[in-house]
Amino acid sequence: MEIVWTNIIFSIAAFAILYFLLSKYAFSKLFAVMEKRRELVMQQMDEAAKTREQAVAYVEEQKQALNNARQEAQVIIQQSQITSSQQVDRILEQAKADATRVKDEAVRDIENEKKKAVEELRSEIGTASVRIASKLLQKEVHMSGEQEQLVDQYLKEVGGRS
């Protein structure tokens, strides 16, 4: 195989002319387009970094908001527990007061009924004692005001002693 020097020289010359023409007309435009593309890519990378930083900041804000909401929920729960315990205490106090009132009323009613029963019993005892006395004496006892007063006085004396 033989080296043809003339072909090599023509090829180098053609390449040099082509390189000169490309550098004069095409490379500057091609490099400008590539530079614009590089700037666009860099700008997009900067925007992506900013967006990522904003996303991280937003996530942190959301975490903080969630923590605040949890704390507020805890405060609300504690307040509701305090309020409910206060209501329970109030209801218990009211129930105790009502029970005491009902008990006092019942005691008063019992005392009134006892007094009524004692008075009825005295009246019946007075009537029964008059009947017994009349049967014992075999005479008719007239129910006059004096005799009835004597019986009531006797019953009061007997009732006062017991």
Side-chain angles (χ1 to χ4, degrees):
M1 177 156 167
E2 228 180 281
I3 296 179
V4 181
W5 290 102
T6 55
N7 282 343
I8 290 175
I9 292 174
F10 279 125
S11 292
I12 290 174
F15 182 74
I17 293 169
L18 180 63
Y19 183 78
F20 174 73
L21 290 174
L22 282 176
S23 69
K24 187 169 185 169
Y25 297 109
F27 283 154
S28 63
K29 291 180 183 177
L30 181 62
F31 287 142
V33 167
M34 288 176 67
E35 183 62 26
K36 284 183 183 178
R37 177 70 179 154
R38 186 186 70 80
E39 288 175 2
L40 179 64
V41 168
M42 292 302 289
Q43 182 183 7
Q44 288 176 346
M45 287 176 62
D46 288 342
E47 288 176 5
K50 288 179 185 176
T51 303
R52 188 177 309 120
E53 289 173 5
Q54 289 174 349
V56 168
Y58 182 71
V59 167
E60 289 300 319
E61 285 178 18
Q62 292 303 314
K63 285 180 183 178
Q64 186 64 31
L66 182 61
N67 286 336
N68 290 343
R70 285 181 180 157
Q71 290 173 351
E72 289 176 9
Q74 282 296 94
V75 168
I76 290 171
I77 289 170
Q78 290 172 350
Q79 288 176 346
S80 66
Q81 288 174 344
I82 290 169
T83 303
S84 65
S85 67
Q86 289 173 347
Q87 286 178 344
V88 165
D89 292 342
R90 232 183 341 231
I91 290 170
L92 286 175
E93 288 175 13
Q94 182 66 35
K96 287 178 183 177
D98 289 346
T100 303
R101 182 183 47 79
V102 168
K103 179 184 164 190
D104 292 343
E105 288 177 4
V107 167
R108 256 186 275 127
D109 289 345
I110 289 171
E111 286 296 323
N112 289 338
E113 289 297 319
K114 182 179 172 184
K115 287 178 183 177
K116 285 181 187 177
V118 167
E119 289 298 321
E120 287 178 19
L121 187 59
R122 282 182 183 165
S123 173
E124 287 179 21
I125 288 175
T127 306
S129 63
V130 168
R131 285 184 192 154
I132 291 172
S134 78
K135 284 185 182 181
L136 287 175
L137 296 175
Q138 299 271 332
K139 67 180 195 178
E140 185 178 318
V141 177
H142 297 288
M143 295 300 263
S144 68
E146 289 179 13
Q147 291 174 344
E148 203 170 304
Q149 286 177 352
L150 289 174
V151 170
D152 285 339
Q153 181 181 0
Y154 174 73
L155 286 177
K156 286 181 185 176
E157 289 175 8
V158 171
R161 292 182 190 158
S162 57

